[in-house]
Amino acid sequence: MTDKQIERIKKSIRKRRAALTAEKRKFGGFIDSAGNRYYIFELYMKIVDYKGVITYKKWFDKNFSDDIGSPFLSLIWAVACFELGKMAEAKTYTIDTAFQNVYLHGLLLDREVSPIDMYNHGYDMLEFAKSLIEDCKKITTKTYLDWLATFINTDEYNDPVNKYIALNKLLKDENNDEKRGKLLDEIELLEKSNKAQS
């Protein structure tokens, strides 16, 4: 990428951030129908500005605290943290990526992946992972993928991810509202416990 291309992307980042700021000033909150808040992360990754990703994430978390995220965002944060040597955070967001979509890591590593008979929350379907994989490959690095290939074979990764899958398998066939509520609480607790690790 040339200096001119990098500057063009930086200009786009500034423009999109300014649009978000103006929106909040005008409406007292964000509408962001254009999805600028998400695309800015991708632009930082295009110019390999991992510090920019993390700095912007702090602003994002403060202003969009109720945003549920996506597997693509979690992967961006995992890669950026890994490349900055923030290993606790890299592990947290890697596991969070799996919570968002259990198939994505296998596809990233070019492994055979089969659908799991479990409750689907939306982002966590195999078809969704396949539709996302080319974009994910663009933002991952060889060093991250080499590390990922080892990390997904550890108990540190497998214990929470396998528990997440097991809970969603139970949730799929549970019709009792009270029991479903307890399973959903367990899943939420698992996700919060993971984020508390970083």
Side-chain angles (χ1 to χ4, degrees):
M1 189 175 286
T2 66
D3 289 345
K4 197 171 182 179
Q5 288 171 318
I6 291 170
E7 188 49 48
R8 195 178 301 129
I9 291 173
K10 285 181 177 178
K11 186 177 178 181
S12 180
I13 290 170
R14 290 192 295 270
K15 183 180 174 185
R16 290 167 190 275
R17 290 196 68 168
L20 288 170
T21 302
E23 195 173 80
K24 187 173 185 181
R25 195 180 304 117
K26 183 175 180 180
F27 301 109
F30 300 97
I31 300 168
D32 192 28
S33 55
N36 283 318
R37 69 186 184 273
Y38 305 121
Y39 191 54
I40 289 168
F41 284 113
E42 201 172 337
L43 291 174
Y44 276 119
M45 293 300 278
K46 279 184 180 179
I47 58 173
V48 197
D49 184 355
Y50 302 124
K51 285 184 180 176
V53 169
I54 301 308
T55 301
Y56 174 63
K57 185 181 183 306
K58 289 174 185 172
W59 179 90
F60 179 90
D61 288 344
K62 183 180 175 184
N63 287 279
F64 299 98
S65 57
D66 60 346
D67 195 294
I68 62 168
S70 73
F72 187 58
L73 281 183
S74 291
L75 182 63
I76 284 175
W77 301 335
V79 173
C81 288
F82 173 82
E83 292 298 334
L84 291 172
K86 297 175 180 288
M87 295 312 297
E89 292 91 340
K91 289 176 180 179
T92 293
Y93 292 121
T94 296
I95 292 168
D96 191 59
T97 303
F99 287 167
Q100 297 257 3
N101 188 293
V102 297
Y103 307 105
L104 202 53
H105 291 146
L107 293 175
L108 274 172
L109 296 169
D110 296 319
R111 296 183 180 178
E112 184 130 356
V113 176
S114 300
I116 300 168
D117 187 25
M118 66 179 204
Y119 180 74
N120 293 313
H121 300 276
Y123 284 137
D124 57 356
M125 297 173 70
L126 179 55
E127 293 77 17
F128 184 78
K130 286 178 177 178
S131 74
L132 198 62
I133 197 64
E134 290 310 313
D135 287 333
C136 290
K137 285 184 175 182
K138 288 176 188 172
I139 59 100
T140 50
T141 60
K142 184 182 184 307
T143 49
Y144 175 78
L145 292 175
D146 288 346
W147 171 79
L148 178 66
T150 301
F151 183 55
I152 64 170
N153 291 318
T154 65
D155 290 342
E156 190 175 2
Y157 176 93
N158 281 304
D159 287 351
V161 173
N162 287 339
K163 185 174 183 183
Y164 179 83
I165 291 169
L167 287 168
N168 278 286
K169 281 182 174 181
L170 292 172
L171 188 61
K172 180 182 180 291
D173 297 318
E174 184 55 69
N175 295 316
N176 181 283
D177 288 343
E178 187 180 341
K179 289 180 181 178
R180 283 183 68 81
K182 285 181 180 177
L183 288 169
L184 288 167
D185 287 345
E186 280 192 69
I187 290 167
E188 185 179 356
L189 187 63
L190 184 63
E191 292 169 340
K192 283 182 178 175
S193 174
N194 175 56
K195 286 180 180 169
Q197 301 300 315
S198 61

